[in-house]
Amino acid sequence: MTGVMTTESQAIMARARQLFPGGVNSPVRAFGGVGGEPFVVQRGEGPYIWDADGNRYIDYVLSWGPLVLGHAAPVVLDALHDVMQRGTSFGIPTGLEVQLAELIVQRMPHIEMLRFTSSGTEAAMSIARVARAATGRDAILKFDGCYHGHADSFLVKAGSGVATLNLPNSPGVPAVLAALTYTAPFNDLEAVRAVAMQVPLAAILIEPIIGNAGFIEPLPGFLAGLRQIADETGALLVFDEVMTGFRIAYGGAVERFGVTPDLTAFGKVIGGGLPVAAYGGRRDLMQQVAPSGSVYQAGTLSGNPLAMAGGLATLTSLTPELHAIISRRTSTLVQGLRDVMQKADVPFSASSAGSMWGFFFHPGPVTNFAEARQSDVPLFNRFFHAARERGVYLAPSAFEAAFMSAAHGDDVITDTLERLSDAIRVAKS
Ligand SMILES: *Cc1c(COP(=O)(O)O)cnc(C)c1O
């Protein structure tokens, strides 16, 4: 891009490529889907991040979802500073764990009991174990395009990260294990029913709104239909709210859709940018987890005080009023983007739920991953780079959701729309 000049980002990435597979510590960061080379971030503040060369971007990735208050939110930094003075890790129960759990349970009363982990992967993996133990069944069903972390059982049709690399499944996953993971297209109740009637399923797992195959919402009645099929066939219903929790509604998917799962995975926002995830739900199921039950699951840094403090500060600040403000601004941004794309005369559909949003270069409606794949990916890739060159950072894949934070004010939205209007003009030609 810059010819012979080497930027600071490029210099650091050159060293990173010697050390990390693909130069990164999580595959989507490598720009495999959009091409080109990732920049190296130096700092963030509010809605902005700056790369190692001092370029500023308005950030709609927000660490892939957690930063609902924006970068370096003072309340989070203050909480971390306070807690840090008293030590960083104990491996002994703390009051902070109880406080964060109480906040989650207050907002989502169907979470009767929970367990903190350090990543969404662990949360989803542990749920599968609990579901298998509780039902005495081995098979699970997930949806094409849904991502539930990288545990062996879930790396089957797992959405953006793997789809972008054209790896539908992963080598290294034992075939006997992958054979226990059934898949169905999102929004296809008949396909789910067909599997569930034939195979004794331990669990039906779903992202209630898909955020890992782009942003795809359930059709009316779909989640309720899953609840019914689960009840009829003895399977547990699991919502993976690692991405949607505390984003699509103040009370998550249960509030938004009125359907209650047996177990739920959380992550991202509940740590406010620190490594926190959790799984929980029905008390009778969670009591099967060690040491009250015999389903083993553990973690040296689970419930880490700094991580708990990040989550507590974030969820305490995220009041229903603030959630409503961010949601309204998200709608404003999405409507503005629709107008921009209509003027540019490109096939486009976009939507939002709370502070989570997404778009496809596809006339819509997009109701499953197969339809998402029919969107104009080359146009997305050109648009991504044009946006980035104009100071707007979108997720580097046509199959990722986008986010908003409390720090993205109306002026930032207006600024974004101007930059993106220019970006699509360039990307189109
Ligand atoms: C991000 C994500 C995960 C995995 O969480 P990690 O913390 O990255 O392990 C699981 N499920 C969903 C829906 C996610 O978006």
Side-chain angles (χ1 to χ4, degrees), residues 1-2 4-12 37 53 55:
M1 201 173 70
T2 45
V4 287
M5 281 276 291
T6 303
T7 66
E8 188 61 21
S9 274
Q10 286 168 334
I12 294 172
E37 181 165 285
D53 298 285
N55 301 304

Side-chain angles (χ1 to χ4, degrees), residues 150-156 169-179 181:
H150 63 88
D152 283 351
S153 287
F154 300 126
L155 285 182
V156 177
N169 303 295
S170 174
V173 174
V176 287
L177 196 56
T181 303

Side-chain angles (χ1 to χ4, degrees), residues 118-122 124 147-150 207 212 240 242-243 268:
S118 300
S119 68
T121 291
E122 289 171 87
Y147 179 66
H148 304 295
H150 63 88
E207 289 179 72
N212 285 287
D240 183 344
V242 170
M243 197 182 273
K268 301 194 170 122

Side-chain angles (χ1 to χ4, degrees), residues 319-398:
T319 58
E321 293 73 27
L322 183 60
H323 175 79
I325 291 170
I326 310 174
S327 303
R328 182 183 52 72
R329 289 192 191 136
T330 309
S331 307
T332 305
L333 175 69
V334 166
Q335 186 51 50
L337 206 52
R338 285 194 199 107
D339 296 342
V340 162
M341 297 301 171
Q342 195 179 2
K343 278 198 196 103
D345 196 25
V346 291
F348 188 76
S349 60
S351 53
S352 69
S355 62
M356 186 174 162
W357 60 283
F359 65 89
F360 292 106
F361 287 114
H362 181 295
V366 173
T367 63
N368 59 39
F369 195 22
E371 289 166 2
R373 281 172 176 281
Q374 287 161 10
S375 64
D376 190 339
V377 176
L379 176 59
F380 174 86
N381 292 350
R382 292 195 302 275
F383 178 63
F384 165 83
H385 287 293
R388 181 193 155 185
E389 281 158 19
R390 285 158 185 76
V392 177
Y393 184 52
L394 302 167
S397 162

